[in-house]
Amino acid sequence: MFGTYNLDVHLEEEGIELRVEGTGRRRRYYRKAGGEEVEKVVYADRAKLIVCPVEPVNVPDTTISEHLLTELTTPAVIASGSRDTFYVKFPVEIGVFVVDSRDVERIDIFTKTQPKYTLYGPPERGIVCKWWKSDLYMEEPEVDRLFEGVMQVDVKNDYYQWMELHHVVFWAFDMKIFYNRHAFMHAHLTIQKRTIGETSFITHKPKNMHKAVDIYQAKGLKKLKEKYVMEWGFQ
Amino acid sequence: MNIMGALQDVWNYQLGTGGPKVWEVAQFVLIIVAAIVIARVIRTNIRRIMKERVPKNTLSNMEKLVYYTIVFVGFVIAMSTIGFSLSGLLVAGGIMGIVIGFASQTVVSNLISGLFLIIEKPIKIGDGVNIDDVAGIVEDVRILSTTIRTYDGIYTRLPNEKVFSSNIQNYVAHGARRFAYSVGIRYRDDADQAKEIITNLLESHPLVLKNPAPQVFVEELGNSSVNLKVRMWAPSTHWYGVYTEMLWKIKVALEKEGIQIPFPQRVVWFADTLKGDITTDRQA
């Protein structure tokens, strides 16, 4: 389903139907997924349709949160000074964009996952995050590609003590999503103190993958800060 | 030639003894108008460029600062064209300030309160608040007053002095907030089953936060019902939608499983047994 298409596409996969009908300047966009149907009229001469994974914080509402909290089913205990790599899964949200030589416009975002939110930190100062629970994998796991993506996490413990990791928080503004068969992200986590860590994303495009449309850049927003500081701990 | 001469006379006419000439007054007005126009153009451009990049509240303060600074500079320049020097203006301003301060204490009080509100930021534009029993969305925090659009759409202006000295409840200052329902079930119903049904319902709702976890417990053994307390947290910006949605869903989910919310009831004991046969319509 992920890819770039002409404005006469008809895709059906795993209960998702997406099509653009009509000829000439006026086309009709239709999408059905999980009992939800969306129809829009698209006016365009020469445009392409991009279907790709987007930052998983947009459904059901883009204004609720800009962060993703991944809770680990099995906590990880990390020795002081050590570095390691593990994989987690993240919820896939699928974005549909129309693009021409001048601009990119989002026309639809949907997901097969059941959204859930949580609070990271205390009620008076914490932030609301999109919540997802994932096992921790030593090797890249198989995923239902329209449901979950894979995130590689390089973790480094700079603190002088052992640390137990129950959850990691990522900032959607900073995410770099790539895709081929499935969605993929590559993140860094540096544990600095008992309750402070830093998460960031690697911009380098993996081999044989495409870069997903960045919603924030599509909106014309410049990214000034490229890291998120976890200041409420890891448990 | 005569017309030109007459115009020149008018142009050079002095207003009062030692007062400014007409052309100087015209220049004064022109500079003020130009300053206002320039300030508006710059304000509009700041709004357009920064709208997506800075918070609404900061943008509003930035706009006001730039606007009033340009107008003030224009005013100072304009004053010099009609013979008022800056030093004279400052002296005059100081004296005027004292006079105005005494004459209009309320205005000054509002002004100072406004400055403190802008610095302390207990409320921001777009926040849902309750100030002095006025509940609504903050539309603007100005130098002298704060405007609120009440939830039923009424424009309300509150003097900053009142805002500053009142209890302010800001519903969205924190990321999440808690709210609660009381749900009564019949004594014959299984309270544990009811708790499980409600907990599952809350778990399935996206905006009922996973953490802090919702709480469902028996709060009270009431006169007519076992009262359950249902507490949940939701994002502050979206809590009201959840609040209005969940109570009815809880009622429907409980009834679907045969658990009912009872009407008030009272058991009446008669001191003497009633004599005679009582036959209800149904038995008949």
Side-chain angles (χ1 to χ4, degrees):
Chain A
M1 177 159 281
F2 301 141
T4 304
Y5 305 94
N6 290 323
L7 285 184
D8 55 358
V9 65
H10 187 171
L11 304 168
E12 275 194 70
E13 190 178 335
E14 293 180 24
I16 298 173
E17 185 186 353
L18 191 156
R19 62 174 189 264
V20 180
E21 297 167 334
T23 52
R25 284 202 73 230
R26 188 192 295 173
R27 315 276 178 126
R28 184 171 291 276
Y29 168 82
Y30 171 84
R31 186 266 297 168
K32 187 178 175 185
E36 186 195 37
E37 291 181 68
V38 169
E39 268 190 78
K40 287 184 181 178
V41 177
V42 179
Y43 291 90
D45 282 327
R46 271 177 252 155
K48 294 274 185 186
L49 194 81
I50 296 178
V51 181
C52 66
V54 294
E55 293 82 351
V57 293
N58 294 284
V59 179
D61 192 325
T62 53
T63 61
I64 299 170
S65 173
E66 287 182 350
H67 298 82
L68 171 71
L69 184 148
T70 304
E71 187 178 326
L72 303 176
T73 314
T74 314
V77 181
I78 303 159
S80 169
S82 70
R83 289 164 179 263
D84 208 341
T85 294
F86 61 80
Y87 297 86
V88 291
K89 294 178 181 178
F90 66 88
V92 163
E93 291 184 10
I94 301 166
V96 183
F97 301 86
V98 277
V99 53
D100 61 13
S101 55
R102 284 175 297 181
D103 194 19
V104 180
E105 183 62 33
R106 181 185 77 187
I107 57 172
D108 191 15
I109 294 181
F110 58 95
T111 183
K112 286 179 71 182
T113 60
Q114 171 68 29
K116 189 75 181 166
Y117 290 87
T118 189
L119 189 69
Y120 173 60
E124 69 278 10
R125 294 177 66 192
I127 54 164
V128 174
C129 302
K130 187 83 170 273
W131 175 85
W132 194 249
K133 193 164 192 170
S134 167
D135 280 333
L136 187 148
Y137 303 90
M138 294 302 131
E139 291 177 358
E140 194 168 328
E142 286 293 316
V143 285
D144 174 353
R145 70 198 202 97
L146 297 181
F147 187 76
E148 286 180 306
V150 175
M151 187 189 292
Q152 180 182 337
V153 183
D154 299 335
V155 61
K156 186 170 75 155
N157 183 4
D158 283 348
Y159 191 52
Y160 72 94
Q161 288 182 347
W162 288 77
M163 288 298 297
E164 193 166 315
L165 192 65
H166 289 247
H167 54 237
V168 194
V169 179
F170 304 99
W171 190 26
F173 208 65
D174 183 34
M175 287 177 180
K176 312 284 183 302
I177 305 179
F178 303 96
Y179 67 94
N180 52 13
R181 231 186 64 76
H182 62 265
F184 178 82
M185 285 194 268
H186 187 175
H188 256 311
L189 164 65
T190 307
I191 298 168
Q192 296 167 335
K193 291 182 181 171
R194 176 162 287 283
T195 58
I196 296 179
E198 204 172 71
T199 55
S200 59
F201 285 85
I202 290 167
T203 53
H204 179 69
K205 185 166 79 72
K207 202 176 170 186
N208 299 327
M209 283 203 167
H210 307 280
K211 190 178 184 313
V213 175
D214 185 321
I215 283 185
Y216 299 99
Q217 280 184 346
K219 277 188 205 166
L221 299 178
K222 283 185 183 170
K223 298 183 175 182
L224 300 174
K225 203 169 73 171
E226 301 229 323
K227 284 176 179 169
Y228 174 68
V229 177
M230 291 177 63
E231 51 186 323
W232 311 112
F234 308 96
Q235 298 190 23
Chain B
M1 190 64 186
N2 285 340
I3 294 170
M4 289 299 288
L7 279 174
Q8 203 161 10
D9 286 345
V10 171
W11 197 238
N12 289 320
Y13 181 76
Q14 195 157 25
L15 301 166
T17 313
K21 292 175 179 168
V22 169
W23 69 267
E24 287 173 335
V25 174
Q27 200 176 17
F28 171 84
V29 172
L30 200 67
I31 290 171
I32 295 284
V33 170
I36 290 170
V37 169
I38 291 167
R40 285 191 176 182
V41 169
I42 292 175
R43 184 174 66 178
T44 308
N45 279 295
I46 286 174
R47 190 179 300 160
R48 206 175 56 201
I49 294 165
M50 309 296 278
K51 195 176 177 185
E52 299 277 347
R53 296 162 196 241
V54 296
K56 207 173 173 183
N57 200 53
T58 312
L59 179 62
S60 173
N61 290 338
M62 201 188 289
E63 282 175 23
K64 282 172 201 158
L65 182 71
V66 170
Y67 182 83
Y68 288 113
T69 304
I70 293 170
V71 171
F72 178 73
V73 169
F75 180 72
V76 170
I77 294 169
M79 288 298 275
S80 67
T81 64
I82 53 171
F84 283 91
S85 68
L86 185 61
S87 55
L89 188 70
L90 288 173
V91 173
I95 295 164
M96 285 295 285
I98 294 166
V99 173
I100 291 169
F102 278 111
S104 54
Q105 284 184 24
T106 315
V107 174
V108 175
S109 172
N110 281 326
L111 182 81
I112 302 294
S113 300
L115 289 175
F116 278 112
L117 283 174
I118 288 169
I119 293 164
E120 193 194 337
K121 292 180 187 163
I123 53 172
K124 295 197 292 289
I125 293 170
D127 284 357
V129 296
N130 186 332
I131 302 168
D132 197 35
D133 284 336
V134 178
I137 307 290
V138 177
E139 289 279 287
D140 203 356
V141 182
R142 298 189 187 126
I143 295 292
L144 294 176
S145 65
T146 296
T147 51
I148 290 174
R149 175 169 42 87
T150 62
Y151 291 118
D152 40 6
I154 295 166
Y155 171 95
T156 309
R157 177 188 176 279
L158 293 172
N160 279 338
E161 186 189 9
K162 192 162 198 170
V163 176
F164 195 68
S165 58
S166 299
N167 290 330
I168 297 175
Q169 286 183 315
N170 188 329
Y171 298 126
V172 295
H174 299 154
R177 66 163 291 175
R178 195 187 77 179
F179 56 92
Y181 305 121
S182 283
V183 179
I185 59 171
R186 296 176 301 189
Y187 269 89
R188 77 173 88 138
D189 291 326
D190 183 351
D192 286 331
Q193 189 195 359
K195 281 157 59 179
E196 193 182 333
I197 292 165
I198 295 170
T199 304
N200 289 341
L201 187 69
L202 299 179
E203 284 281 326
S204 68
H205 195 288
L207 296 178
V208 174
L209 297 184
K210 187 84 185 166
N211 179 44
Q215 290 178 307
V216 185
F217 58 92
V218 175
E219 184 195 29
E220 185 191 17
L221 300 175
N223 291 335
S224 312
S225 60
V226 175
N227 294 330
L228 303 178
K229 192 65 149 183
V230 182
R231 287 180 180 160
M232 68 200 85
W233 288 78
S236 297
T237 46
H238 293 72
W239 79 276
Y240 192 68
V242 184
Y243 176 75
T244 53
E245 179 186 347
M246 289 311 288
L247 188 57
W248 185 253
K249 282 195 167 174
I250 289 170
K251 187 252 185 199
V252 170
L254 289 175
E255 285 190 346
K256 198 176 167 189
E257 298 298 325
I259 296 172
Q260 290 186 5
I261 295 166
F263 294 108
Q265 52 193 272
R266 190 163 298 277
V267 177
V268 180
W269 295 90
F270 292 97
D272 299 317
T273 311
L274 289 173
K275 291 173 182 171
D277 288 336
I278 297 174
T279 308
T280 62
D281 288 347
R282 197 181 295 168
Q283 285 168 328

